[in-house]
Amino acid sequence: MGDLQRNARASTVADVRIGEGSAVSELATLGYEYAEDAGATVIGADATVRSGSIVYADVRAGDGFTTGHNVLVREHTELGDDVLVGTNTVVDGETTVGSSVSLQSNVYVPQETVIGDDVFVGPGAVLTNDPYPVRQDIDLEGPTLADSVSIGANATVLPGVSIGERAFVAAGAVVCEDVPPGTLVAGVPATSRDLPEPLDGPNSIA
């Protein structure tokens, strides 16, 4: 088990509820209390939370929740079953994540993002939510990733962009406009093209 302790509460400062069969590092923080009236942190069964990870109060994760090291999941985040949040990845709160989702290492997920089921987000990918950083005071709007979307490594998705079901974003792409379902986008700025046969179909994330 290494530094993982079965059913350990780790470092907690708020109400934390952890399902059976979970393993939480003593060097992780669950239930970080960002406000006096913060709600519970609820994590389902068979979770693995590795050292350096911080999960705020008001986070709900389903069964099979897994983190790498030094993960941050902020308040008002809802995660389904079998969600992987890779090493050094940040989920910045006010976000909904479906089931069977893989967020690889060094991914940034901003507030007001919606991620569907069976979604893969490759290492170093950046999702954004502010079209006019520090220039205008407007409502934040993160991207929406539909079911079975794949985002390649180091891709960037701009605020408010919707990526349709089964679409594939190539590595390094900068996505400025909505992506239709079942489409490949690549380049800077990203342009659409037909999805090659090897990439067609839904994701299968174990």
Side-chain angles (χ1 to χ4, degrees):
M1 295 291 292
D3 67 340
L4 297 175
Q5 300 296 317
R6 183 139 323 254
N7 290 329
R9 285 182 62 90
S11 175
T12 60
V13 291
D15 182 17
V16 176
R17 305 166 197 174
I18 306 173
E20 291 296 323
S22 294
V24 179
S25 170
E26 293 180 347
L27 301 178
T29 298
L30 299 182
Y32 181 85
E33 194 171 20
Y34 65 95
E36 289 184 2
D37 60 348
T41 299
V42 180
I43 295 176
D46 301 316
T48 300
V49 181
R50 293 185 169 87
S51 60
S53 294
I54 301 172
V55 180
Y56 273 47
D58 285 315
V59 169
R60 291 181 176 269
D63 296 341
F65 175 63
T66 301
T67 77
H69 300 279
N70 304 318
V71 161
L72 175 62
V73 181
R74 291 198 55 175
E75 69 273 13
H76 302 300
T77 294
E78 299 274 347
L79 306 109
D81 295 332
D82 299 313
V83 173
L84 167 67
V85 183
T87 294
N88 296 324
T89 286
V90 174
V91 181
D92 226 352
E94 309 288 345
T95 289
T96 301
V97 178
S99 294
S100 298
V101 171
S102 179
L103 307 175
Q104 294 288 293
S105 297
N106 298 306
V107 168
Y108 179 69
V109 179
Q111 294 178 351
E112 307 299 337
T113 296
V114 177
I115 297 175
D117 297 333
D118 300 302
V119 170
F120 176 86
V121 182
V126 175
L127 313 182
T128 63
N129 67 355
D130 190 348
Y132 308 111
V134 303
R135 296 296 174 90
Q136 296 186 27
D137 184 13
I138 64 172
D139 291 338
L140 302 176
E141 184 181 8
T144 297
L145 311 184
D147 295 348
S148 282
V149 162
S150 288
I151 308 291
N154 294 312
T156 300
V157 182
L158 295 191
V161 167
S162 292
I163 300 181
E165 187 173 351
R166 297 181 295 103
F168 196 103
V169 175
V174 177
V175 185
C176 305
E177 299 179 347
D178 291 351
V179 178
T183 302
L184 171 67
V185 293
V188 181
T191 56
S192 298
R193 59 198 73 182
D194 291 339
L195 195 63
E197 184 177 350
L199 299 180
D200 199 6
N203 289 341
S204 179
I205 298 176

